[in-house]
Structure formats: C-alpha cells, structure tokens
Amino acid sequence: MRGLLLSLSLALLSCSTLSQSRSDPFLNQFTVQEVAPKTYVATDRSYHNSNVMVAVMPDQTVFIASSPFETEGADALLQWIQAEFKPQKVIAVNTHFHADGTGGNEAYKKHGVEIWASDLTRKLQRERGESQKVKEAAGFESQPELKKRLEKRQIVIADHEYKIQDGKTFEFGGEKVDVIYPGPAHSTDNVAVYLPQRKVLFGGCMVRPVKTLGYVGDADVKSWADSVSHLRALAPQVVIAGHEAVGGVELIDNTVETARQAGLQDDARRQSR
C-alpha cells in the first residue's frame, strides 16, 4: 500500500508546472517528473529509459547526478536546464564509467559544467572508455541513428576527482549533497547520490526495479546485495533507479533480494561444474 501511495504521489508531482508545450529535442527524447520539491528525474526514452537526477539547490546551482548516454541528449538536457532554471552554476557527478554515467561529458564540458567523478571512474574511463563505447553502440544495431550518436561521442574525463572510498559531500546554500560509495555492485565504481534534506536517493544502475540484474558484464554479483543494503540505512523516501522506475525503499529491498538470488544461482552453477 505504501508503495502504491508513493507511486500515486509521484504521478501527481509529475504534472507540475514545468513547460511541457515546448517542441524541442529535449522533450522529444526525455520525459520529466518532479519527485520532490525542485528535484526532477529526466528519463531518456531513446536509450533504455535511463534516468538522470536534476536538483535545483538553494543557491541556484543545478546539480546533476549521472548523465545521458551521449552528447546530443546531454546537450538537449543542458539547454532545457538553462531555459527552465537559469542556474548560476551547473555541477554534474559521473555515477560510474558506463555511458549512462559519463556519456554526456562532452556536452557537459562544452557548456562549462563542473564535472566530478571518483578516482576509480576516471581510471576505468581512461582504460576502457573506447572499448565500452563500441560495446554499447553494438546494442543499437537495429536503430542506426541512435547507434551513430553513440559512436561519434568523444570520451571526456571528468576534470574534478575524489577518492571513491571517501565519497564526496557538496554544500549549496546550506544544503548538502552526499556522494556515497556503498561497494561494488552493477560495476566496481558505482556511486549513489543522496539529498538528505529532501530524502531523495539516486541509486543509479545498482538499484533494480525488476527481478533481474540487467547488464552484469562489469558487475560484482557476489557483493551486490551487501553493497546496496547499506543504502537502506539512509531511510530515503524517494529512490531513483538507473532505469525506468522511481519509488521508495521497496526498490532497495527488491534489489537486495534479486542480487542474493542471483548470487546463489552463480554459486550453484560453479558447484555443479
């Protein structure tokens, strides 16, 4: 019942006063819902319904958690942010080295966004960014225009770094934003972003809304459940998954159970060999 009430409240919030009549590349590619006051989720319908969190802070900085998959989408997102909020400054945090964590960095840099990433994300992007781009583009063989957009984006490394084990805390006009590393899960470098005063958690790709783990090519399935379970102690009221769903702590609980089952299945397969 609690999850249903949250879903209904989010649906009402999504009907907020954001400009919906604008015929532009952003609204052709993204949908937007306001999940808490001045806190939005932009969902990229073209690329796996991937989510980006956009938060307007008290000092009129706009804070972005994660990234669209590619440069054109990120450019459209930033143009929408500028038109809608007229920010004093924009800061983006790369949540992991895959395209749905870093793919918009080329546009971020062009627009003067301050880009942050962990030391491990920057290392993995340097070492594997180009090969990862090829793999991600191959998933769009049946959609050549979308594939072309992935192939032509430039790999751009964040210009600001923090140690992943330490995390990072930002403060904007007296309000904090915490970047948290709970441990390896979807990837070894995945981080979550938490707005404690708003009780909003961007869990990214480590949080799963369905009964599968999705792409596990860079995952630590054995550690996944324990890593994500640490996020529950934050007691968020809104949880944003990396793809599709926005909900509450039930998304964390679902992820923990799904990852534990996947870990048991992996153990069983190894023992049967």
Side-chain angles (χ1 to χ4, degrees):
M1 177 60 74
R2 185 172 178 275
L4 175 60
L5 290 173
L6 179 60
S7 298
L8 288 172
S9 66
L10 291 179
L12 290 171
L13 279 168
S14 69
C15 298
S16 64
T17 57
L18 285 175
S19 304
Q20 295 297 323
S21 60
R22 193 183 297 111
S23 176
D24 64 18
F26 175 73
L27 293 177
N28 290 336
Q29 183 170 342
F30 294 83
T31 56
V32 182
Q33 58 178 319
E34 185 176 16
V35 298
K38 297 187 177 182
T39 312
Y40 307 89
V41 175
T43 302
D44 188 342
R45 300 189 305 274
S46 297
Y47 292 96
H48 303 303
N49 289 316
S50 57
N51 292 327
V52 177
M53 185 183 76
V54 176
V56 182
M57 307 309 295
D59 64 354
Q60 296 308 302
T61 296
V62 166
F63 186 93
I64 303 173
S66 198
S67 167
F69 261 72
E70 40 71 50
T71 303
E72 288 184 35
D75 187 71
L77 173 68
L78 290 167
Q79 290 186 45
W80 172 79
I81 287 170
Q82 185 61 46
E84 203 68 49
F85 307 117
K86 298 177 175 55
Q88 297 294 316
K89 184 177 185 179
V90 181
I91 293 178
V93 167
N94 293 162
T95 51
H96 66 310
F97 80 99
H98 295 163
D100 50 347
T102 63
N105 281 2
E106 183 180 11
Y108 287 169
K109 184 175 182 178
K110 181 182 78 171
H111 286 267
V113 174
E114 184 177 304
I115 313 168
W116 285 81
S118 73
D119 50 355
L120 181 54
T121 294
R122 294 177 84 225
K123 178 177 184 289
L124 289 170
Q125 199 181 8
R126 283 196 192 95
E127 294 173 353
R128 298 178 52 195
E130 290 294 343
S131 62
Q132 183 68 22
K133 181 172 74 170
V134 171
K135 285 196 292 185
E136 289 162 345
F140 288 85
E141 289 291 348
S142 62
Q143 297 170 285
E145 286 302 316
L146 295 181
K147 181 184 179 186
K148 183 178 179 181
R149 286 165 62 174
L150 289 175
E151 289 174 332
K152 72 179 185 180
R153 73 175 175 89
Q154 298 298 306
I155 301 299
V156 174
I157 309 298
D159 45 11
H160 298 272
E161 177 182 297
Y162 62 91
K163 293 184 183 301
I164 193 166
Q165 296 292 344
D166 296 339
K168 173 73 179 172
T169 296
F170 297 88
E171 188 168 337
F172 306 100
E175 183 175 355
K176 292 182 178 180
V177 178
D178 296 322
V179 182
I180 301 161
Y181 179 60
H186 169 74
S187 62
T188 56
D189 67 323
N190 48 207
V191 297
V193 176
Y194 188 51
L195 282 66
Q197 290 180 227
R198 307 182 195 194
K199 296 287 186 181
V200 175
L201 174 70
F202 182 86
C205 295
M206 77 178 88
V207 173
R208 296 293 297 164
V210 295
K211 294 293 184 183
T212 65
L213 292 181
Y215 177 70
V216 294
D218 297 305
D220 185 335
V221 174
K222 190 174 182 63
S223 301
W224 197 321
D226 287 342
S227 295
V228 173
S229 67
H230 295 150
L231 299 176
R232 211 182 194 291
L234 299 170
Q237 293 178 359
V238 177
V239 178
I240 305 164
H243 298 270
E244 299 188 13
V246 178
V249 292
E250 73 276 2
L251 297 187
I252 296 174
D253 295 340
N254 175 73
T255 302
V256 170
E257 178 60 26
T258 300
R260 281 182 178 153
Q261 291 298 322
L264 290 172
Q265 291 168 9
D266 280 357
D267 289 343
R269 279 193 292 268
R270 280 193 292 268
Q271 290 170 10
S272 66
R273 290 173 185 169

